[in-house]
Amino acid sequence: MTDAATPLAGWTHTYSGKVRDLYRPEDGTDRMLVVASDRVSAFDVVLEPAITGKGALLTTLSLWWFDQLAGGDGGRAIPNHLLAGATPPAETDGRGMVVQALEMLPVECVVRGYLTGSGWVEYQQDGTVCGIPLPEGLGNGDRLPEPIFTPAYKAPLGEHDENISFDRTVELVGAERAAELRDTSLEIYRRAAALAEAKGLILADTKFEFGVDGDGTLTLADEVLTSDSSRYWDAETWRTAETPAARMASFDKQIVRDWLAANWDKQGTPPALPADIVTRTAAKYRELLDRLTA
Ligand code: ATP
Ligand code: MG
């Protein structure tokens, strides 16, 4: 794997996901250091080469969103996993976040405001997205009448996440927690989409992860509303473009996904990303951050 986890004084490396490296403190406190690497993954595989600067851009964007959702946007404060005042080691170069170690819930909380991706595939077959019936006649990239909560089971390392029904979510985390996950996810999506809209951006869909702290409080964790966990489109392009593909020109991994889908049969090792795909992806990630936070 490129960009292997760096040893950091005072911290023990405990886990590397596809994109992030996790560390626990040697002082035994209940903290965790999450370091976003420059690795890029699509279709659940890590690709080569890494995208230089991506880890720092995603961390900066995540921190900015946590701040908005803590009340910076005028809404109620959504509890999040950041530990106030805790500074990540300097070597992490803007890629680290010191957070509270939570008991994570095994549900990826996906909210979709627009029809695309796996939702579009299912809709064409069945007229539903994750089992939720939708009006007839929608096209790829169309806005949904209401944002919908479409959870996925967070599969253990090496397995693919799997879309699940709300009933299955209730079985996994209990009725009360499932309702809280749904309501909080929809609330965050609405607030974030409104903020993005004010910057001329569409938040088409996104994914949240939540954990529970020692008091049982539902706490927003992981990264939030980044280009890795969300699809963003340019609002003006979406309104005026002539083809579905053009209107969904995106600020996220879609460039990588599209190239990979056209150049790999999803068997064996994926081909290396060409330099122009890497450069364009990096530029799009940077443009999103600049536009949102301007
Ligand atoms: P996989 O582990 O399947 O590779 P992934 O690609 O989502 O999943 P990363 O996103 O690279 O992995 O790593 C981040 C990991 O840290 C996720 O498993 C996420 O659930 C976990 N995580 C994020 N915030 C917290 C927290 N506050 N407490 C505990 N775990 C957390
Ligand atoms: Mg992840």
Side-chain angles (χ1 to χ4, degrees):
M1 207 179 261
T2 45
D3 191 24
T6 323
L8 295 169
W11 296 90
T12 308
H13 174 236
T14 52
Y15 174 80
S16 286
K18 287 179 286 290
V19 174
R20 265 79 57 74
D21 301 317
L22 306 187
Y23 298 78
R24 295 302 291 259
E26 279 159 12
D27 65 12
T29 51
D30 215 13
R31 292 175 298 150
M32 220 174 78
L33 173 66
V34 183
V35 182
S37 73
D38 288 345
R39 296 189 289 271
V40 61
S41 77
F43 307 120
D44 283 338
V45 289
V46 179
L47 305 167
E48 299 281 349
I51 296 185
T52 307
K54 173 178 178 278
L57 287 173
L58 290 195
T59 300
T60 307
L61 188 55
S62 224
L63 291 171
W64 182 82
W65 274 118
F66 275 125
D67 203 39
Q68 301 304 307
L69 297 170
D73 67 345
R76 75 168 174 115
I78 307 278
N80 71 53
H81 68 161
L82 293 180
L83 271 181
T87 322
E91 303 96 293
T92 57
D93 264 340
R95 298 182 294 120
M97 290 191 297
V98 181
V99 305
Q100 209 182 338
L102 300 170
E103 195 185 313
M104 296 300 286
L105 298 171
V107 178
E108 306 229 317
C109 295
V110 178
V111 179
R112 300 165 197 259
Y114 290 73
L115 183 61
T116 191
S118 65
W120 168 237
V121 174
E122 181 186 324
Y123 175 79
Q124 285 171 285
Q125 277 172 13
D126 306 326
T128 57
V129 173
C130 298
I132 300 171
L134 292 174
E136 276 175 46
L138 294 175
N140 192 7
D142 278 358
R143 185 177 183 150
L144 298 173
E146 288 286 341
I148 53 175
F149 176 65
T150 58
Y153 173 64
K154 191 166 162 56
L157 186 61
E159 293 169 38
H160 290 282
D161 297 340
E162 164 202 353
N163 287 339
I164 54 173
S165 63
F166 187 72
D167 289 348
R168 178 79 189 116
T169 309
V170 169
E171 281 170 24
L172 285 167
V173 300
E176 215 171 299
R177 200 60 97 182
E180 196 182 8
L181 283 177
R182 180 196 56 206
D183 296 347
T184 310
S185 299
L186 286 167
E187 176 191 349
I188 300 174
Y189 172 83
R190 286 202 171 88
R191 284 167 59 175
L195 222 145
E197 201 183 329
K199 314 281 170 131
L201 294 161
I202 288 173
L203 176 63
D205 54 34
T206 191
K207 179 211 73 174
F208 306 112
E209 288 187 38
F210 293 88
V212 176
D213 75 4
D215 300 332
T217 304
L218 186 71
T219 306
L220 185 58
D222 211 51
E223 58 175 354
V224 274
L225 297 156
T226 64
S227 334
D228 271 9
S229 64
S230 320
R231 284 192 176 90
Y232 287 94
W233 301 331
D234 177 73
E236 179 62 20
T237 308
W238 183 82
R239 271 193 297 274
T240 56
E242 314 221 314
T243 63
R247 72 176 176 163
M248 295 183 283
S250 53
F251 294 88
D252 53 55
K253 282 197 313 204
Q254 200 60 36
I255 300 167
V256 170
R257 286 192 205 103
D258 289 349
W259 183 85
L260 206 59
N263 291 282
W264 183 47
D265 59 5
K266 298 195 187 170
Q267 306 291 313
T269 310
L273 299 170
D276 70 304
I277 296 292
V278 172
T279 314
R280 274 170 52 207
T281 304
K284 279 292 176 192
Y285 276 50
R286 152 68 56 195
E287 191 186 335
L288 177 72
L289 176 68
D290 289 349
R291 280 182 63 175
L292 278 172
T293 62

